[in-house]
Amino acid sequence: MVNYNYDVKFILNKRKAAQAAAYLVKLHGGKMDLLLLIKLLYLADRTALIKAGYSITGDKMVSMELGPVLSAIYDATKPKHREDDLWWHDYISERQETTLYTVKDDSETDELSQFELKILDEVYQKYGHMDPFQLSEWTHTLPEYADPHGGSLPIDPTIILKDAGKSEEEIRELTQLSEEVAFLKSLQK
């Protein structure tokens, strides 16, 4: 039996995550349902992981009652956000019921590469038209999702990579690369 039990490390880039969110909301006309945005960001990170071995936002992936989400981004969208979640609101408005708006008409995308912008475009084209609850239900069918029974459970990114057909050697290399990137980013702090 093949052992795919590796620890893929991500480091959240808050500004990049907020720019990715604002980019998707802008594609949707400047406002978007919270649940739809959360799902699109998760699917964009998942797609980047499969295609390039890293996520766009660097956020921690977790299973929650409404499907997989990105943990820090989900927390930043809550009405009673913490003081350290203000990074989000440089790009995305406080939620008004379940709707979010871009803060600026022309949000920056300097943290996002052309490859990442292309992934965001592809994910939006594929899923951006869906009803948020239908998309949420569909994400429950993803192999990495596990029912958290009202809480949250961490998602192992290697499950995504294995399901995408990555070999154990490829997963090992991606894990090593993620550790090196995490180490280098820790030196920048």
Side-chain angles (χ1 to χ4, degrees):
M1 182 172 179
V2 180
N3 175 18
Y4 288 95
N5 209 3
Y6 299 103
D7 185 20
V8 178
K9 297 196 183 314
F10 298 132
I11 294 184
L12 174 65
N13 181 329
K14 292 177 179 180
R15 188 165 183 261
K16 188 180 205 181
Q19 285 185 6
Y23 184 79
L24 288 169
V25 174
K26 187 176 176 184
L27 286 175
H28 205 67
K31 70 177 187 174
M32 183 181 283
D33 181 84
L34 167 65
L35 183 57
L36 180 61
L37 178 61
I38 294 293
K39 295 303 164 193
L40 293 178
L41 285 168
Y42 175 81
L43 292 169
D45 268 11
R46 185 182 196 277
T47 301
L49 176 65
I50 292 167
K51 289 185 174 187
Y54 70 92
S55 74
I56 294 171
T57 68
D59 201 353
K60 180 181 173 186
M61 299 172 160
V62 295
S63 289
M64 295 189 74
E65 208 61 41
L66 290 175
V69 300
L70 302 174
S71 181
I73 292 171
Y74 173 74
D75 286 345
T77 66
K78 292 179 181 175
K80 293 185 179 180
H81 57 79
R82 300 177 312 237
E83 190 67 27
D84 62 340
D85 289 333
L86 296 178
W87 55 272
W88 179 256
H89 299 291
D90 286 341
Y91 294 87
I92 301 293
S93 69
E94 292 278 345
R95 68 196 241 194
Q96 297 171 14
E97 295 189 22
T98 63
T99 303
L100 299 171
Y101 299 87
T102 52
V103 171
K104 305 171 192 167
D105 289 334
D106 195 25
S107 295
E108 303 100 12
T109 58
D110 59 302
E111 290 283 334
L112 299 162
S113 70
Q114 288 302 311
F115 171 74
E116 293 163 337
L117 289 169
K118 184 178 177 190
I119 287 176
L120 291 166
D121 286 332
E122 289 172 2
V123 166
Y124 181 77
Q125 289 301 316
K126 190 168 185 178
Y127 303 106
H129 67 282
M130 291 181 73
D131 173 82
F133 288 99
Q134 289 176 334
L135 183 56
S136 175
E137 293 226 358
W138 177 79
T139 63
H140 283 81
T141 67
L142 296 172
E144 66 269 22
Y145 178 75
D147 185 349
H149 302 289
S152 72
L153 294 172
I155 289 176
D156 179 358
T158 61
I159 295 170
I160 297 167
L161 295 169
K162 181 180 177 185
D163 184 66
K166 302 290 184 191
S167 69
E168 183 174 7
E169 181 61 29
E170 289 172 305
I171 293 172
R172 186 179 309 117
E173 289 172 6
L174 291 172
T175 301
Q176 184 174 356
L177 179 62
S178 77
E179 288 173 356
E180 291 168 5
V181 169
F183 174 72
L184 291 173
K185 286 187 181 202
S186 74
L187 294 176
Q188 293 174 342
K189 291 183 178 180

mmCIF file of all heavy atoms in Angstrom, residues 91-118:
data_model
loop_
_atom_site.group_PDB
_atom_site.id
_atom_site.type_symbol
_atom_site.label_atom_id
_atom_site.label_comp_id
_atom_site.label_asym_id
_atom_site.label_seq_id
_atom_site.Cartn_x
_atom_site.Cartn_y
_atom_site.Cartn_z
ATOM 1 N N TYR A 91 -10.200 45.434 1.100
ATOM 2 C CA TYR A 91 -10.624 45.010 -0.234
ATOM 3 C C TYR A 91 -12.100 44.629 -0.315
ATOM 4 O O TYR A 91 -12.742 44.793 -1.339
ATOM 5 C CB TYR A 91 -9.774 43.812 -0.701
ATOM 6 C CG TYR A 91 -8.339 44.182 -0.914
ATOM 7 C CD1 TYR A 91 -7.415 44.145 0.119
ATOM 8 C CD2 TYR A 91 -7.908 44.609 -2.162
ATOM 9 C CE1 TYR A 91 -6.097 44.506 -0.081
ATOM 10 C CE2 TYR A 91 -6.586 44.975 -2.372
ATOM 11 C CZ TYR A 91 -5.692 44.917 -1.328
ATOM 12 O OH TYR A 91 -4.388 45.290 -1.538
ATOM 13 N N ILE A 92 -12.611 44.046 0.776
ATOM 14 C CA ILE A 92 -13.978 43.523 0.784
ATOM 15 C C ILE A 92 -14.755 44.191 1.921
ATOM 16 O O ILE A 92 -14.265 44.302 3.043
ATOM 17 C CB ILE A 92 -13.995 41.988 0.992
ATOM 18 C CG1 ILE A 92 -13.200 41.275 -0.112
ATOM 19 C CG2 ILE A 92 -15.414 41.457 1.069
ATOM 20 C CD1 ILE A 92 -13.813 41.361 -1.498
ATOM 21 N N SER A 93 -15.996 44.591 1.627
ATOM 22 C CA SER A 93 -16.833 45.279 2.614
ATOM 23 C C SER A 93 -17.225 44.359 3.762
ATOM 24 O O SER A 93 -17.126 43.136 3.664
ATOM 25 C CB SER A 93 -18.115 45.771 1.939
ATOM 26 O OG SER A 93 -18.941 44.657 1.590
ATOM 27 N N GLU A 94 -17.700 44.990 4.834
ATOM 28 C CA GLU A 94 -18.384 44.220 5.870
ATOM 29 C C GLU A 94 -19.565 43.551 5.178
ATOM 30 O O GLU A 94 -20.166 44.134 4.273
ATOM 31 C CB GLU A 94 -18.922 45.158 6.958
ATOM 32 C CG GLU A 94 -17.867 45.823 7.786
ATOM 33 C CD GLU A 94 -17.336 44.938 8.902
ATOM 34 O OE1 GLU A 94 -17.965 43.907 9.220
ATOM 35 O OE2 GLU A 94 -16.287 45.278 9.435
ATOM 36 N N ARG A 95 -19.899 42.361 5.589
ATOM 37 C CA ARG A 95 -21.024 41.709 4.930
ATOM 38 C C ARG A 95 -22.333 42.373 5.321
ATOM 39 O O ARG A 95 -22.512 42.805 6.450
ATOM 40 C CB ARG A 95 -21.022 40.210 5.179
ATOM 41 C CG ARG A 95 -21.308 39.795 6.570
ATOM 42 C CD ARG A 95 -20.914 38.363 6.784
ATOM 43 N NE ARG A 95 -22.037 37.541 7.148
ATOM 44 C CZ ARG A 95 -21.922 36.331 7.646
ATOM 45 N NH1 ARG A 95 -20.746 35.789 7.811
ATOM 46 N NH2 ARG A 95 -22.975 35.645 7.963
ATOM 47 N N GLN A 96 -23.203 42.463 4.357
ATOM 48 C CA GLN A 96 -24.538 43.004 4.573
ATOM 49 C C GLN A 96 -25.494 41.842 4.348
ATOM 50 O O GLN A 96 -25.756 41.475 3.209
ATOM 51 C CB GLN A 96 -24.786 44.179 3.630
ATOM 52 C CG GLN A 96 -23.832 45.320 3.921
ATOM 53 C CD GLN A 96 -23.882 46.410 2.883
ATOM 54 O OE1 GLN A 96 -24.780 46.474 2.069
ATOM 55 N NE2 GLN A 96 -22.893 47.277 2.931
ATOM 56 N N GLU A 97 -25.917 41.268 5.463
ATOM 57 C CA GLU A 97 -26.628 39.992 5.491
ATOM 58 C C GLU A 97 -25.687 38.942 4.903
ATOM 59 O O GLU A 97 -24.720 38.603 5.540
ATOM 60 C CB GLU A 97 -27.978 40.089 4.804
ATOM 61 C CG GLU A 97 -28.910 41.021 5.559
ATOM 62 C CD GLU A 97 -30.318 40.997 5.042
ATOM 63 O OE1 GLU A 97 -30.715 40.002 4.400
ATOM 64 O OE2 GLU A 97 -31.024 41.988 5.285
ATOM 65 N N THR A 98 -25.941 38.461 3.683
ATOM 66 C CA THR A 98 -25.041 37.460 3.112
ATOM 67 C C THR A 98 -24.330 37.975 1.865
ATOM 68 O O THR A 98 -23.752 37.196 1.118
ATOM 69 C CB THR A 98 -25.809 36.166 2.751
ATOM 70 O OG1 THR A 98 -26.770 36.478 1.734
ATOM 71 C CG2 THR A 98 -26.471 35.562 3.966
ATOM 72 N N THR A 99 -24.325 39.283 1.660
ATOM 73 C CA THR A 99 -23.707 39.855 0.467
ATOM 74 C C THR A 99 -22.445 40.630 0.828
ATOM 75 O O THR A 99 -22.403 41.348 1.824
ATOM 76 C CB THR A 99 -24.698 40.799 -0.257
ATOM 77 O OG1 THR A 99 -25.885 40.061 -0.568
ATOM 78 C CG2 THR A 99 -24.105 41.347 -1.540
ATOM 79 N N LEU A 100 -21.429 40.455 -0.017
ATOM 80 C CA LEU A 100 -20.173 41.180 0.129
ATOM 81 C C LEU A 100 -19.979 42.067 -1.102
ATOM 82 O O LEU A 100 -20.419 41.723 -2.199
ATOM 83 C CB LEU A 100 -18.997 40.205 0.229
ATOM 84 C CG LEU A 100 -19.019 39.247 1.408
ATOM 85 C CD1 LEU A 100 -17.930 38.202 1.257
ATOM 86 C CD2 LEU A 100 -18.841 39.998 2.713
ATOM 87 N N TYR A 101 -19.289 43.175 -0.910
ATOM 88 C CA TYR A 101 -19.011 44.110 -1.993
ATOM 89 C C TYR A 101 -17.519 44.410 -2.032
ATOM 90 O O TYR A 101 -16.849 44.344 -1.002
ATOM 91 C CB TYR A 101 -19.763 45.432 -1.770
ATOM 92 C CG TYR A 101 -21.257 45.284 -1.736
ATOM 93 C CD1 TYR A 101 -21.913 44.974 -0.555
ATOM 94 C CD2 TYR A 101 -22.011 45.450 -2.890
ATOM 95 C CE1 TYR A 101 -23.300 44.821 -0.516
ATOM 96 C CE2 TYR A 101 -23.391 45.304 -2.866
ATOM 97 C CZ TYR A 101 -24.029 44.990 -1.678
ATOM 98 O OH TYR A 101 -25.380 44.840 -1.660
ATOM 99 N N THR A 102 -17.030 44.772 -3.210
ATOM 100 C CA THR A 102 -15.656 45.247 -3.270
ATOM 101 C C THR A 102 -15.621 46.647 -2.676
ATOM 102 O O THR A 102 -16.566 47.412 -2.802
ATOM 103 C CB THR A 102 -15.119 45.289 -4.720
ATOM 104 O OG1 THR A 102 -16.028 46.025 -5.528
ATOM 105 C CG2 THR A 102 -14.918 43.899 -5.290
ATOM 106 N N VAL A 103 -14.522 46.981 -2.019
ATOM 107 C CA VAL A 103 -14.374 48.281 -1.382
ATOM 108 C C VAL A 103 -13.967 49.332 -2.417
ATOM 109 O O VAL A 103 -14.409 50.459 -2.382
ATOM 110 C CB VAL A 103 -13.344 48.207 -0.231
ATOM 111 C CG1 VAL A 103 -13.004 49.577 0.299
ATOM 112 C CG2 VAL A 103 -13.865 47.316 0.883
ATOM 113 N N LYS A 104 -13.114 48.924 -3.355
ATOM 114 C CA LYS A 104 -12.615 49.839 -4.375
ATOM 115 C C LYS A 104 -13.098 49.358 -5.738
ATOM 116 O O LYS A 104 -13.196 48.156 -5.973
ATOM 117 C CB LYS A 104 -11.090 49.854 -4.383
ATOM 118 C CG LYS A 104 -10.467 50.177 -3.053
ATOM 119 C CD LYS A 104 -8.972 49.951 -3.122
ATOM 120 C CE LYS A 104 -8.360 49.991 -1.736
ATOM 121 N NZ LYS A 104 -7.007 49.491 -1.710
ATOM 122 N N ASP A 105 -13.348 50.292 -6.639
ATOM 123 C CA ASP A 105 -13.733 49.903 -7.993
ATOM 124 C C ASP A 105 -12.576 49.245 -8.738
ATOM 125 O O ASP A 105 -12.779 48.402 -9.593
ATOM 126 C CB ASP A 105 -14.226 51.116 -8.798
ATOM 127 C CG ASP A 105 -15.573 51.603 -8.306
ATOM 128 O OD1 ASP A 105 -16.330 50.794 -7.735
ATOM 129 O OD2 ASP A 105 -15.856 52.794 -8.483
ATOM 130 N N ASP A 106 -11.362 49.638 -8.399
ATOM 131 C CA ASP A 106 -10.192 49.128 -9.098
ATOM 132 C C ASP A 106 -9.189 48.563 -8.092
ATOM 133 O O ASP A 106 -8.170 49.181 -7.805
ATOM 134 C CB ASP A 106 -9.557 50.248 -9.937
ATOM 135 C CG ASP A 106 -8.580 49.712 -10.960
ATOM 136 O OD1 ASP A 106 -8.718 48.545 -11.355
ATOM 137 O OD2 ASP A 106 -7.670 50.467 -11.355
ATOM 138 N N SER A 107 -9.507 47.411 -7.517
ATOM 139 C CA SER A 107 -8.634 46.791 -6.517
ATOM 140 C C SER A 107 -7.343 46.307 -7.159
ATOM 141 O O SER A 107 -7.338 45.827 -8.288
ATOM 142 C CB SER A 107 -9.341 45.604 -5.859
ATOM 143 O OG SER A 107 -10.459 46.038 -5.141
ATOM 144 N N GLU A 108 -6.263 46.398 -6.388
ATOM 145 C CA GLU A 108 -4.971 45.926 -6.872
ATOM 146 C C GLU A 108 -4.972 44.410 -7.031
ATOM 147 O O GLU A 108 -5.707 43.704 -6.350
ATOM 148 C CB GLU A 108 -3.858 46.292 -5.882
ATOM 149 C CG GLU A 108 -3.727 47.737 -5.556
ATOM 150 C CD GLU A 108 -4.386 48.077 -4.220
ATOM 151 O OE1 GLU A 108 -4.741 47.174 -3.447
ATOM 152 O OE2 GLU A 108 -4.554 49.267 -3.971
ATOM 153 N N THR A 109 -4.104 43.954 -7.916
ATOM 154 C CA THR A 109 -3.876 42.517 -8.084
ATOM 155 C C THR A 109 -2.373 42.233 -8.113
ATOM 156 O O THR A 109 -1.958 41.197 -8.610
ATOM 157 C CB THR A 109 -4.534 41.980 -9.373
ATOM 158 O OG1 THR A 109 -3.998 42.700 -10.492
ATOM 159 C CG2 THR A 109 -6.035 42.095 -9.334
ATOM 160 N N ASP A 110 -1.563 43.152 -7.571
ATOM 161 C CA ASP A 110 -0.111 43.020 -7.665
ATOM 162 C C ASP A 110 0.443 41.801 -6.937
ATOM 163 O O ASP A 110 1.534 41.336 -7.265
ATOM 164 C CB ASP A 110 0.588 44.294 -7.180
ATOM 165 C CG ASP A 110 0.242 44.636 -5.744
ATOM 166 O OD1 ASP A 110 -0.950 44.807 -5.440
ATOM 167 O OD2 ASP A 110 1.177 44.749 -4.917
ATOM 168 N N GLU A 111 -0.288 41.252 -5.982
ATOM 169 C CA GLU A 111 0.172 40.046 -5.278
ATOM 170 C C GLU A 111 -0.093 38.783 -6.097
ATOM 171 O O GLU A 111 0.488 37.733 -5.836
ATOM 172 C CB GLU A 111 -0.548 39.910 -3.931
ATOM 173 C CG GLU A 111 -0.153 40.931 -2.909
ATOM 174 C CD GLU A 111 1.185 40.662 -2.256
ATOM 175 O OE1 GLU A 111 1.610 39.493 -2.192
ATOM 176 O OE2 GLU A 111 1.809 41.634 -1.803
ATOM 177 N N LEU A 112 -0.971 38.871 -7.095
ATOM 178 C CA LEU A 112 -1.394 37.703 -7.871
ATOM 179 C C LEU A 112 -0.615 37.612 -9.178
ATOM 180 O O LEU A 112 -0.500 38.588 -9.910
ATOM 181 C CB LEU A 112 -2.893 37.793 -8.164
ATOM 182 C CG LEU A 112 -3.797 37.808 -6.929
ATOM 183 C CD1 LEU A 112 -5.174 38.338 -7.281
ATOM 184 C CD2 LEU A 112 -3.886 36.410 -6.341
ATOM 185 N N SER A 113 -0.111 36.418 -9.482
ATOM 186 C CA SER A 113 0.582 36.196 -10.753
ATOM 187 C C SER A 113 -0.440 36.034 -11.876
ATOM 188 O O SER A 113 -1.634 35.821 -11.618
ATOM 189 C CB SER A 113 1.446 34.938 -10.657
ATOM 190 O OG SER A 113 0.620 33.781 -10.588
ATOM 191 N N GLN A 114 0.025 36.098 -13.097
ATOM 192 C CA GLN A 114 -0.864 35.875 -14.241
ATOM 193 C C GLN A 114 -1.453 34.463 -14.187
ATOM 194 O O GLN A 114 -2.620 34.258 -14.511
ATOM 195 C CB GLN A 114 -0.107 36.092 -15.564
ATOM 196 C CG GLN A 114 0.216 37.537 -15.843
ATOM 197 C CD GLN A 114 -1.032 38.409 -15.881
ATOM 198 O OE1 GLN A 114 -2.018 38.096 -16.542
ATOM 199 N NE2 GLN A 114 -0.988 39.519 -15.156
ATOM 200 N N PHE A 115 -0.665 33.499 -13.760
ATOM 201 C CA PHE A 115 -1.131 32.122 -13.606
ATOM 202 C C PHE A 115 -2.285 32.059 -12.600
ATOM 203 O O PHE A 115 -3.307 31.415 -12.845
ATOM 204 C CB PHE A 115 0.039 31.241 -13.145
ATOM 205 C CG PHE A 115 -0.359 29.843 -12.756
ATOM 206 C CD1 PHE A 115 -0.692 28.905 -13.719
ATOM 207 C CD2 PHE A 115 -0.403 29.477 -11.420
ATOM 208 C CE1 PHE A 115 -1.063 27.609 -13.353
ATOM 209 C CE2 PHE A 115 -0.766 28.198 -11.047
ATOM 210 C CZ PHE A 115 -1.094 27.262 -12.020
ATOM 211 N N GLU A 116 -2.130 32.750 -11.474
ATOM 212 C CA GLU A 116 -3.169 32.752 -10.436
ATOM 213 C C GLU A 116 -4.429 33.471 -10.906
ATOM 214 O O GLU A 116 -5.543 33.011 -10.642
ATOM 215 C CB GLU A 116 -2.619 33.378 -9.155
ATOM 216 C CG GLU A 116 -1.538 32.523 -8.520
ATOM 217 C CD GLU A 116 -0.692 33.244 -7.502
ATOM 218 O OE1 GLU A 116 -0.600 34.491 -7.535
ATOM 219 O OE2 GLU A 116 -0.101 32.547 -6.649
ATOM 220 N N LEU A 117 -4.263 34.578 -11.613
ATOM 221 C CA LEU A 117 -5.424 35.286 -12.167
ATOM 222 C C LEU A 117 -6.164 34.392 -13.160
ATOM 223 O O LEU A 117 -7.398 34.374 -13.193
ATOM 224 C CB LEU A 117 -4.997 36.593 -12.834
ATOM 225 C CG LEU A 117 -4.539 37.695 -11.870
ATOM 226 C CD1 LEU A 117 -3.877 38.833 -12.649
ATOM 227 C CD2 LEU A 117 -5.694 38.210 -11.034
ATOM 228 N N LYS A 118 -5.416 33.628 -13.937
ATOM 229 C CA LYS A 118 -6.035 32.706 -14.898
ATOM 230 C C LYS A 118 -6.844 31.628 -14.160
ATOM 231 O O LYS A 118 -7.948 31.284 -14.578
ATOM 232 C CB LYS A 118 -4.966 32.068 -15.784
ATOM 233 C CG LYS A 118 -5.524 31.184 -16.858
ATOM 234 C CD LYS A 118 -4.434 30.606 -17.743
ATOM 235 C CE LYS A 118 -5.077 29.676 -18.751
ATOM 236 N NZ LYS A 118 -4.101 28.904 -19.498
#
